[in-house]
Amino acid sequence: MKVLTAFSLLLTCGLATTSQSGQECLCTSDQSCWPNAEEFSQLQAQVSQPLVYPLPTASACYPTSDPSGNCTEVIENWTDGNWRSSMPGSMEAPNWETFIFKNGTIEACYLNTTITGTCGQGRVPMIGVDAHSVADIQAGVNFAVKHNLKLVVKNTGHDYLGRSAARGSFVVWTHNMKNITYDTAFLPQGAPSSANEMYDAVTLGAGVQWHEAYDAVNQRERMMVGGISAGGSVGAAGGWLAGGGHSLLSPTYGLGVDNAIEISVVLSTGEYLTVNNYQNPDLFWALRGGGGGTYGIVTSVTYRTYPSVPLQFYLFEANVTNSSAMHDLIGKLLHSQTQFTDDGWGGYGQMTNQSMYFYYVAPNMTNETATATTQAWTHYALSLEPWGVTSTITMYSVPSWYQLYAGANSTGVQNGANLMFTSRLLSQDTVANKYKEVAQVLIDCGASFNTVAGGKVNEVDPDSAGLNPAWRNAVVETVCGFSWQDGTSSTEIEGMIDQLKGWIKTTYDLTPHDGAYFNEASLFEINWQETFFGSHYSTLKSIKNKHDPYKLFVVAEGVGSDDWNKELTCRD
């Protein structure tokens, strides 16, 4: 379906504002080009819901900012990801609600009202569309193009590069697009009947979160590849997929991009397309791993599902009093990862300089096989006891993925904490040959690690999706980061960032070709085009230029953002 807009001809004349330097710039709320009340009223007449006026999460604790708000509710729900995602101005990491001026002053809305007497809008968008339908998104996109607005797209606000917010911006909020449909014989649009390509599949609206998706497929005794986080609050059809979409099931079933069959999207032209391997395959390719908020606004994704099967659960915990033994333990674990993932184990872990734990799960594996495939590691870890390593090992069967998720969903994504981190994919070559050097870096930064690659992920053609090809050689993702309290000065934050940059450089120098996961990374990654997208970057950029002719969609470190200034408001 192609939507023709009344101002299409006007757009060819160029409505972009021009800065004094001659650059084409987007319009933000502090400029005279910002739409007036009458123009917003015209937009209101075109959408199904009242326009939203997003506020920072803690605004209810500042009566002058939100006189009708309930501060008690804010305090009680501050760390609840589902509560936060239900508000258009709330980000899962509240540091992305704040704005740091060049002089170091921070505009924020802190939960602790004793820190400041005012509540600033920060980077929270000013106004936007609460999209409940494709038509709502089209109206929002057309309006943004007509007025050349700085646009952001937000679903749940789970974003660690700040892509769900921008100072003075206009937002299209997709969180309330909750439609879920199930088809036991799904055939992609445009596929010939002779293709014999039918799937047991579920189609999720853009706003569906993992707890809703899992509930739906579990009712049909099915499961699907997805994330596991606090309350299942991460979006299932938004940025998770666009960045690649890892899961602890990935070593057995692949990444999210390997399980997406079809995607529907609204482009900057207002066109609504359904893309797959038969229709607009280039865009389908880019949307699977080429980065969120870059090519259009996704309205739905169709995923394949799998029969529900039991899982084996393996939990390892260790306390270590000897630093040399700690280094050996982490190094050996890295060296063992290829074997673990090839056998179908996936999971998550964390370390400090004195302790380490991880839990791995393996779908449809017998207890005998689980014991056999973990035996080498178990024996090695127990052998370190004379050197100050005390290990605890637990293994048991779980009836289904859904039961594992329901029991473990209190862990995972941290909500309501100021947070920055860097990630690094570690390739098969790295864990085989550089595990000792990498182990020291991970111990120094107190890393977490995600065994979400290897196995099936490595078997997929690197060019089958726009995803960074580094994923097809990776076996584990490691993450180093830091958090800070509200009220911390910009100088102190800069000091922490300097430490983060040090970890980035050390890890990059050790693993220059291993890449990073776009959804769990830093704005300070070295050579971000290659780090996030690898050899696919130039192709992704040509696809973006083709399908986003108005250059409406631009996000931090996203494809094409290298043509813009640091603030992503002006381009040459």
Side-chain angles (χ1 to χ4, degrees):
M1 172 176 140
K2 184 172 182 179
V3 177
L4 299 177
T5 59
F7 53 88
S8 294
L9 288 175
L10 293 176
L11 291 170
T12 63
C13 300
L15 294 176
T17 58
T18 304
S19 70
Q20 292 181 348
S21 63
Q23 294 176 310
E24 289 186 4
C25 299
L26 298 171
C27 183
T28 53
S29 63
D30 59 340
Q31 297 175 301
S32 59
C33 55
W34 190 252
N36 57 35
E38 181 181 352
E39 289 166 322
F40 278 118
S41 178
Q42 293 170 1
L43 172 62
Q44 178 63 81
Q46 299 171 27
V47 295
S48 66
Q49 307 295 316
L51 297 179
V52 290
Y53 297 84
L55 293 171
T57 311
S59 61
C61 298
Y62 296 76
T64 56
S65 297
D66 186 10
S68 63
N70 182 345
C71 187
T72 300
E73 179 186 5
V74 174
I75 295 170
E76 291 177 348
N77 294 285
W78 187 257
T79 62
D80 185 330
N82 284 303
W83 176 79
R84 298 183 76 92
S85 66
S86 69
M87 298 175 289
S90 181
M91 309 299 153
E92 299 300 326
N95 48 294
W96 294 114
E97 298 178 24
T98 68
F99 184 80
I100 302 178
F101 293 95
K102 291 182 179 180
N103 65 4
T105 302
I106 301 176
E107 183 176 281
C109 191
Y110 296 128
L111 180 61
N112 183 352
T113 58
T114 64
I115 295 175
T116 177
T118 60
C119 173
Q121 188 77 4
R123 300 181 77 253
V124 175
M126 298 299 294
I127 188 172
V129 171
D130 175 10
H132 284 232
S133 67
V134 170
D136 287 341
I137 292 179
Q138 290 172 315
V141 164
N142 289 342
F143 186 81
V145 171
K146 178 180 180 180
H147 295 281
N148 195 47
L149 302 181
K150 173 61 181 175
L151 174 74
V152 295
V153 182
K154 179 179 183 287
N155 179 7
T156 66
H158 278 283
D159 189 273
Y160 300 111
L161 292 175
R163 296 167 296 181
S164 298
R167 186 168 179 80
S169 63
F170 175 81
V171 63
V172 173
W173 186 40
T174 63
H175 174 70
N176 289 309
M177 298 184 70
K178 296 288 192 180
N179 191 52
I180 300 176
T181 57
Y182 200 91
D183 191 340
T184 57
F186 181 85
L187 183 68
Q189 284 191 26
S193 56
S194 59
N196 194 28
E197 190 177 355
M198 289 188 178
Y199 300 89
D200 204 310
V202 63
T203 299
L204 308 177
V208 174
Q209 293 164 276
W210 280 120
H211 70 94
E212 297 160 328
Y214 292 148
D215 288 348
V217 298
N218 181 65
Q219 291 175 9
R220 295 177 175 269
E221 298 184 341
R222 306 286 292 185
M223 67 180 193
M224 60 187 299
V225 173
I228 187 167
S229 63
S233 59
V234 171
W240 178 84
L241 175 68
H246 71 54
S247 167
L248 54 76
L249 296 177
S250 291
T252 300
Y253 298 105
L255 296 164
V257 296
D258 303 323
N259 287 276
I261 305 166
E262 191 165 272
I263 301 172
S264 294
V265 59
V266 173
L267 306 182
S268 63
T269 58
E271 290 178 285
Y272 171 56
L273 300 178
T274 298
V275 302
N276 51 43
N277 283 324
Y278 303 96
Q279 296 180 166
N280 295 287
D282 61 336
L283 184 55
F284 182 58
W285 184 86
L287 289 170
R288 291 177 296 130
T294 300
Y295 310 93
I297 301 179
V298 169
T299 65
S300 70
V301 178
T302 301
Y303 292 103
R304 71 183 71 198
T305 66
Y306 299 91
S308 181
V309 295
L311 302 92
Q312 293 295 324
F313 184 93
Y314 180 79
L315 172 65
F316 177 86
E317 300 172 276
N319 290 309
V320 186
T321 58
N322 182 314
S323 60
S324 177
M326 185 69 188
H327 183 270
D328 290 346
L329 185 72
I330 299 302
K332 181 66 172 181
L333 180 62
L334 292 175
H335 196 245
S336 303
Q337 287 307 301
T338 299
Q339 177 255 307
F340 271 126
T341 57
D342 283 351
D343 286 335
W345 292 99
Y348 306 108
Q350 178 75 49
M351 69 185 74
T352 68
N353 59 3
Q354 293 184 317
S355 66
M356 185 264 283
Y357 85 90
F358 65 81
Y359 72 89
Y360 289 170
V361 302
N364 210 25
M365 181 183 286
T366 65
N367 183 264
E368 291 75 17
T369 301
T371 300
T373 54
T374 57
Q375 189 172 50
W377 169 257
T378 297
H379 285 176
Y380 169 78
L382 293 176
S383 74
L384 294 179
E385 186 171 354
W387 287 271
V389 179
T390 304
S391 301
T392 303
I393 296 163
T394 306
M395 184 183 292
Y396 55 86
S397 298
V398 183
S400 69
W401 158 254
Y402 186 79
Q403 289 195 29
L404 175 74
Y405 151 77
N409 71 353
S410 60
T411 64
V413 174
Q414 187 176 15
N415 302 301
N418 300 306
L419 185 65
M420 284 190 188
F421 51 73
T422 176
S423 73
R424 198 72 186 167
L425 301 175
L426 301 183
S427 67
Q428 297 177 48
D429 178 68
T430 294
V431 298
N433 300 305
K434 296 183 180 179
Y435 56 93
K436 292 181 180 179
E437 297 92 330
V438 173
Q440 190 58 56
V441 179
L442 300 183
I443 293 169
D444 290 345
C445 77
S448 60
F449 55 96
N450 305 322
T451 305
V452 291
K456 179 67 173 180
V457 176
N458 293 166
E459 297 171 11
V460 177
D461 180 357
D463 293 326
S464 64
L467 181 76
N468 187 346
W471 270 101
R472 304 310 179 181
N473 293 315
V475 292
V476 63
E477 177 204 21
T478 60
V479 180
C480 296
F482 66 92
S483 61
W484 65 96
Q485 297 296 315
D486 283 351
T488 300
S489 70
S490 58
T491 301
E492 292 175 282
I493 295 172
E494 282 297 323
M496 298 177 196
I497 290 174
D498 287 342
Q499 183 181 47
L500 185 71
K501 289 178 178 178
W503 293 331
I504 291 171
K505 185 177 189 309
T506 301
T507 311
Y508 180 87
D509 289 346
L510 282 171
T511 62
H513 305 297
D514 284 5
Y517 181 35
F518 188 44
N519 285 345
E520 295 171 352
S522 162
L523 292 175
F524 311 105
E525 304 294 343
I526 297 170
N527 190 12
W528 63 264
Q529 292 93 332
E530 181 180 357
T531 292
F532 290 142
F533 306 105
S535 59
H536 288 163
Y537 187 78
S538 60
T539 304
L540 289 167
K541 192 168 183 179
S542 67
I543 294 171
K544 180 196 169 41
N545 290 337
K546 172 185 174 182
H547 291 284
D548 182 19
Y550 301 135
K551 295 180 170 55
L552 178 65
F553 302 107
V554 56
V555 296
E557 316 293 52
V559 171
S561 65
D562 40 359
D563 295 333
W564 295 74
N565 63 1
K566 184 178 179 181
E567 293 75 24
L568 302 180
T569 53
C570 295
R571 56 186 171 86
D572 294 330

